[in-house]
Amino acid sequence: MIRRALVSVSDKRGVVELAKVLAELRVEILSTGGTASVLAAAGIPVIQVSTFTGAPEILDGRVKTLHPKIHGGLLGRDTDLHRAEMAANAIVPIDLVVVNLYPFEATIAKPDVAFDDAIENIDIGGPSMLRSAAKNHERVAVIVDPDDYAGVITELRAGGISAPRRLQLARKAFAHTAAYDAAIAAYLTSIDDTAATDRAHAPARRELPDTLAFQWRRLYELRYGENPHQRAAFYANAASPLRAESSRPTIAGAEVLGGKQLSYNNILDLDAALGLVLEMSEPAAVVVKHSNPCGVAIDKDLVAAYTRAREADAVSAYGGIVAVNREVDGALAKLLVETFLECVVAPSYSSEARDVLSTKKNLRLVAATGDWTPRSGELAWSVRTVAGGALVQSLDHGMVDLATARVATKRAPTAQERADLAFAWRVAKHVKSNAIVFAKGGVTVAIGAGQMSRVDSVRICERKAGQALRGSVVASDAFFPFRDGVDVLAEAGAGAVVQPGGSVRDDEVIAAADEHGLAMLFTGMRHFRH
C-alpha cells in the first residue's frame, strides 16, 4: 500500500499526471524546490520536505533530503524492531520515491561549462534516496524514469505496485546511479589539473579520460552467437538516444518490422552495410556478406542502384544483407524478393513494399530511424575487447575530398576517373584490409578483402571480374609497399588509382604508375580496417 510518496525530479515529464493519480488515491506527497512549485501550481496538495523533517534546506540547497526522517522512512523494514525504532524517533514510512538526478551529463556536454558549474550539478541527495529506496524495494517502490509512470499508475489503480514491478524499478535505479557516478568519474579524470585552482572557467579536457565507463542495456537475447555453442545477447549503449530523429541511424536503435529474430551475424553485417550506405548522398545500394561489401552502386534511383549492386557479384549476393538510403518502394521490393536475402535495412518502407516483402517470411526488414545525411567529424567511440582489456578509438568518420587530393603521377585523372575514384574510396573505407576496390561508372566491379597481401586482393578481383576490370579505377585503403601492387593493377586493366601514400617506396610506386600510364592520387589518410 502506498501511503506516502517523495517526488523530486529534474525531468518533469509526466510528473503532474502521476502526482494527480497519487492525490486521487489519497497518497501524501512530499516534495522539494521546483518540483513542489510545479505540483502546487497544478493544484496538487504537497508538503515541503523541510516542513516534513522540521529542518530547513541549508547550504544553498545542498542539504535538504539528507535527514533521518527521510532515510529512516525509506530504509525501515516491516519488522517489529524497525517499527519500534521508527516510532521512538517519530519516523513514518515513505513508500514511493520518484526522483531523477541533476542533469550532470547535459551540463558537462556544454563546451564552455566552468568547473564549478559542473561540480554544482553533481547530485548527492538524489542518488542517496534512490539507493535507499532501491535497497528496500520490498517495501519501497522507486521510479527514476518517466517512461515507467504509466505502468506504475496502472498497478496503483489496480490496488498496489507488484513485487516484480518493484524489483524491475530497483534494478533500473541502481543502473541509473551507477551510470551517473561513472559519468562523474569520467569527467573528473578527463580534465586538466588546472581546474583545481581555476574553477571559474572551463578546464581543458582529454577525449580519452583515465576512467572510461560504458553502460550497456540489454535489448534482447539472441538464439546463439557466431556459432550455435556460443551464448549471446544484443546490448545498446544506455547513454545514446536510440531513435532520435537528429541522431545518426544505428542498428541498436532500428526497428525490426518483419521476419524472424536477428542473429548475432546479422547484426554485424547490418552494422557494416549501414555504415557504408551512410557515406552516400546519392541513391545507393549496398550488398554485404560476412561484414564486407560485395556489391555497391549509386545511381539516379534505388531500383537502378540495387540492380547494379546485386549484379556486381551476384553469387555473393545470395544470402546477403542489403542496405539502401531511401525508402523502399514497391518496385524495389519486387527486385529484392528475386534473391534470397537475410535482411534489408532502410530508412522506411512503403505499404506496397511491406506487402511484397511479407511474402518472404524469414526476411528481416529493418527500419533505421535518424538523420541519414552523410556527416564527418562526429565524435563517437568504437570499443573492441581483447583478453583482459579493451581497445577504444573514435569511429572513422574521416574522409578526403578527392577534388583536392594530390596528383602524384604525370597524368592526372579525367573528370570521370576522379568521380569513380571518389566512389571507390568511400567503399574501400568499409572493406577489411588489405582492401582493394575496383569501380567504374558508380558501381563496384570487384572487391578484394581481408587478405594478407595487397597483391592477393588484386588477384582475387581479377579472378572474379576478368575483362570487366578494363577501364576501371582502383582504391586501396593503405599505401602500396612495393611496385608489384601497381603492376598487377595495370595488368588487370585499371586506369587510375587512389591510395594514402606514405610508403618509403612511394617514388618507386609512382614511377611504376607512370610507366603504365596510370593516374594516381594520394589522400594522406589511411582507412585500415582489421
Side-chain angles (χ1 to χ4, degrees):
M1 178 180 177
I2 305 297
R3 296 157 292 182
R4 190 170 293 105
L6 195 158
V7 183
S8 180
V9 293
S10 60
D11 182 351
K12 294 180 173 55
R13 289 180 295 130
V15 72
V16 170
E17 291 75 11
L18 173 65
K20 284 180 177 178
V21 173
L22 295 175
E24 290 170 11
L25 296 173
R26 301 185 181 281
V27 174
E28 184 178 82
I29 300 175
L30 314 177
S31 192
T32 62
T35 305
S37 298
V38 168
L39 299 184
I44 299 168
V46 62
I47 300 171
Q48 287 278 357
V49 162
S50 57
T51 302
F52 176 75
T53 61
E57 293 186 11
I58 61 173
L59 306 180
D60 293 323
R62 283 186 169 197
V63 179
K64 48 193 173 187
T65 59
L66 298 171
H67 193 281
K69 283 197 171 182
I70 298 298
H71 288 277
L74 294 175
L75 286 166
R77 300 181 67 193
D78 192 16
T79 66
D80 291 341
L81 175 62
H82 281 204
R83 283 194 298 270
E85 288 189 354
M86 291 172 71
N89 289 279
I91 294 172
V92 294
I94 299 171
D95 311 299
L96 173 65
V97 169
V98 183
V99 168
N100 45 61
L101 308 178
Y102 294 167
F104 178 77
E105 289 178 281
T107 299
I108 62 171
K110 302 170 186 173
D112 57 348
V113 65
F115 183 54
D116 264 344
D117 290 338
I119 296 301
E120 282 306 306
N121 275 278
I122 297 177
D123 201 328
I124 301 301
S128 299
M129 288 188 291
L130 291 178
R131 291 173 62 82
S132 292
K135 176 176 180 175
N136 204 24
H137 64 268
E138 182 181 8
R139 186 183 65 74
V140 184
V142 55
I143 311 176
V144 298
D145 185 352
D147 289 343
D148 289 321
Y149 292 168
V152 170
I153 287 171
T154 299
E155 292 198 359
L156 285 172
R157 292 192 185 281
I161 302 175
S162 67
R165 173 80 65 177
R166 290 169 183 271
L167 179 56
Q168 291 169 9
L169 295 171
R171 289 173 180 148
K172 185 174 281 191
F174 277 121
H176 187 61
T177 58
Y180 195 76
D181 286 341
I184 295 167
Y187 170 74
L188 291 176
T189 62
S190 74
I191 60 174
D192 190 276
D193 288 345
T194 57
T197 53
D198 183 9
R199 303 178 69 92
H201 295 91
R205 294 168 66 177
R206 300 187 299 276
E207 289 181 346
L208 292 167
D210 297 339
T211 300
L212 189 61
F214 292 95
Q215 189 176 59
W216 307 98
R217 185 178 73 254
R218 191 182 69 193
L219 296 179
Y220 47 82
E221 290 191 20
L222 302 169
R223 287 179 296 153
Y224 51 79
E226 284 183 286
N227 300 289
H229 62 279
Q230 294 173 272
R231 292 176 296 174
F234 189 23
Y235 288 77
N237 187 344
S240 299
L242 289 185
R243 292 178 182 169
E245 291 295 329
S246 60
S247 298
R248 185 180 176 89
T250 65
I251 299 304
E255 182 180 3
V256 181
L257 303 178
K260 59 185 180 181
Q261 184 188 48
L262 295 175
S263 72
Y264 183 98
N265 294 330
N266 288 156
I267 291 167
L268 289 175
D269 287 344
L270 282 164
D271 183 64
L274 180 61
L276 174 46
V277 83
L278 283 170
E279 299 276 3
M280 309 295 177
S281 55
E282 313 91 330
V286 174
V287 185
V288 161
K289 199 73 169 288
H290 303 308
S291 295
N292 274 305
C294 55
V296 185
I298 55 176
D299 215 305
K300 62 183 184 302
D301 57 52
L302 286 187
V303 167
Y306 172 67
T307 300
R308 299 173 76 206
R310 180 183 63 184
E311 294 310 310
D313 189 346
V315 173
S316 298
Y318 182 86
I321 305 287
V322 171
V324 295
N325 60 354
R326 302 287 194 277
E327 180 175 82
V328 176
D329 60 15
L332 178 57
K334 291 172 184 175
L335 285 176
L336 291 169
V337 297
E338 291 178 357
T339 302
F340 167 64
L341 300 171
E342 290 278 354
C343 311
V344 178
V345 58
S348 58
Y349 300 80
S350 71
S351 57
E352 182 186 0
R354 293 282 298 274
D355 289 342
V356 172
L357 294 169
S358 67
T359 62
K360 296 288 186 178
K361 299 301 182 185
N362 290 328
L363 175 62
R364 291 84 152 185
L365 305 182
V366 180
T369 303
D371 179 5
W372 282 66
T373 306
R375 63 183 77 180
S376 61
E378 183 179 58
L379 184 60
W381 299 108
S382 165
V383 181
R384 293 179 66 176
T385 59
V386 295
L391 294 167
V392 179
Q393 66 173 347
S394 58
L395 288 179
D396 185 2
H397 289 315
M399 186 51 66
V400 173
D401 181 0
L402 292 199
T404 59
R406 173 192 163 198
V407 178
T409 48
K410 294 176 181 177
R411 184 175 81 79
T414 66
Q416 182 59 55
E417 285 175 332
R418 197 179 286 269
D420 284 338
L421 287 168
F423 169 74
W425 183 244
R426 283 183 284 173
V427 175
K429 177 180 170 182
H430 295 267
V431 178
K432 297 293 179 65
S433 302
N434 287 304
I436 290 291
V437 176
F438 284 81
K440 181 166 56 178
V443 63
T444 55
V445 183
I447 298 173
Q451 299 304 303
M452 287 66 76
S453 161
R454 203 159 295 278
V455 172
D456 286 342
S457 290
V458 177
R459 292 297 188 198
I460 287 172
C461 293
E462 198 171 19
R463 287 197 300 271
K464 289 177 77 75
Q467 291 300 308
L469 300 180
R470 298 288 165 186
S472 63
V473 304
V474 174
S476 172
D477 64 338
F479 61 66
F480 290 94
F482 303 97
R483 67 166 290 160
D484 56 355
V486 175
D487 290 334
V488 293
L489 290 177
E491 176 188 318
V497 184
V498 58
Q499 58 136 320
S503 168
V504 294
R505 292 185 174 83
D506 273 351
D507 289 344
E508 176 186 321
V509 170
I510 293 168
D514 284 334
E515 286 177 26
H516 294 294
L518 297 177
M520 182 177 288
L521 297 181
F522 280 7
T523 65
M525 179 180 289
R526 189 182 77 177
H527 290 299
F528 217 67
R529 191 177 183 89
H530 272 285

